[in-house]
Amino acid sequence: MDLLVQNGLNILFSDRSGGVSSGTFSGMNLSRFVGDSAADVETNRQLLKNKLRTNVLVSSEQIHGDRILLVDDELKQDHEADGYDGLITRQKHIAIMVQLADCQGVLLHDPTTETVAAVHCGWRGNVANILGTSVRQMKIFANSKASDIHAWISPSLGPCCAEFIHYKKELPQEFWQFQTRDHYFDLWQISKWQLNEVGVPESQITLPSACTCCSEHYFSYRRAKKLGDGVTGRHCAAIMLR
């Protein structure tokens, strides 16, 4: 769980290490909604807040949709919303977090308007183009210019493991160009392309190097589904303005 500090930002992509959860959720599970001990999750979240150097953590129970929550209040305590897959704020010292187990956590920063976003983007999020929606919301909310935005994509399902047997039903035809071999797709490149399409420069997009399904350092729904009932924990992508 390494913290990246740069340009007035704290950025963190967590993995399973460092937490107190046990069994199926062993390590740093951050989700309250997967069946883990509530006390362990709260301990893990406090450890995360300590690492981020914040007293306030904002998250959401995600639904693989495209709704974006604007965090415009000066919150004094943690807040978990319901039904949002993206969070945007200009408030300093408030960390916003999305929870992940193969999906991409895409962190956005506009240094000109001092605006940040955290976006939960699985393949359904790509189909709904939540990344384009997030950039447009940053424009509306803070007058951000897409050309000023920097993006970081978390460790997530890589082209090695992103298999879609029924891709002709699940993925729009414009995604088919990103098929790397029969039924396998590069979701990282799809996200980069969608960000490019709304004006975020390619040079300002950082892609991941780790596939969460391949690496047991991360929680993975696909891996858990292959091995059993699909129950697993969640790591995170988080960002905070200092």
Side-chain angles (χ1 to χ4, degrees):
M1 187 167 63
D2 295 324
L3 180 68
L4 174 64
V5 178
Q6 65 175 45
N7 300 327
L9 284 178
N10 288 357
I11 293 172
L12 190 148
F13 295 124
S14 74
D15 53 24
R16 297 183 69 153
S17 65
V20 300
S21 294
S22 59
T24 300
F25 311 105
S26 177
M28 192 75 171
N29 170 49
L30 296 164
S31 175
R32 297 174 171 136
F33 307 110
V34 293
D36 194 6
S37 156
D40 286 350
V41 173
E42 296 315 306
T43 297
N44 291 339
R45 287 189 171 213
Q46 186 59 53
L47 292 170
L48 178 71
K49 287 161 62 177
N50 293 346
K51 188 73 173 182
L52 283 163
R53 305 169 193 169
T54 183
N55 293 318
V56 180
L57 182 67
V58 181
S59 56
S60 174
E61 184 174 4
Q62 300 151 181
I63 58 171
H64 296 279
D66 64 353
R67 295 176 68 205
I68 310 295
L69 177 66
L70 304 178
V71 183
D72 203 20
D73 298 326
E74 294 184 12
L75 299 174
K76 303 299 183 185
Q77 59 186 11
D78 294 355
H79 177 67
E80 184 127 47
D82 182 18
Y84 295 90
D85 285 85
L87 307 163
I88 296 174
T89 193
R90 299 181 72 187
Q91 296 295 325
K92 295 186 177 180
H93 308 295
I94 291 177
I96 51 177
M97 172 186 78
V98 288
Q99 300 159 76
L100 314 164
D102 289 332
C103 293
Q104 297 171 29
V106 183
L107 303 179
L108 306 174
H109 175 225
D110 174 8
T112 303
T113 63
E114 293 190 291
T115 307
V116 292
V119 187
H120 167 249
C121 182
W123 67 267
R124 292 179 181 84
N126 285 125
V127 171
N129 197 11
I130 190 173
L131 298 179
T133 298
S134 299
V135 171
R136 287 188 287 270
Q137 284 294 320
M138 289 176 72
K139 291 179 182 179
I140 294 169
F141 178 58
N143 201 30
S144 292
K145 294 179 181 178
S147 58
D148 291 335
I149 292 174
H150 294 252
W152 297 264
I153 300 176
S154 73
S156 45
L157 189 68
C160 47
C161 295
E163 182 182 18
F164 293 85
I165 297 297
H166 306 293
Y167 73 87
K168 291 184 178 180
K169 294 180 180 179
E170 295 169 330
L171 304 178
Q173 192 166 353
E174 60 189 358
F175 287 7
W176 297 1
Q177 63 183 303
F178 299 100
Q179 188 171 188
T180 57
R181 55 192 169 103
D182 285 350
H183 301 105
Y184 285 80
F185 288 78
D186 193 332
L187 299 176
W188 300 341
Q189 291 296 327
I190 289 174
S191 290
K192 184 175 78 169
W193 172 68
Q194 290 185 315
L195 290 167
N196 289 161
E197 286 291 290
V198 289
V200 179
E202 183 173 348
S203 62
Q204 293 168 198
I205 301 171
T206 302
L207 298 182
S209 58
C211 170
T212 49
C213 189
C214 286
S215 174
E216 293 189 1
H217 293 297
Y218 300 94
F219 295 107
S220 169
Y221 173 77
R222 287 213 178 196
R223 186 175 65 246
K225 193 71 174 174
K226 288 178 182 178
L227 297 176
D229 57 9
V231 175
T232 190
R234 299 292 185 271
H235 49 270
C236 83
I239 190 167
M240 184 186 76
L241 290 164
R242 295 199 311 279

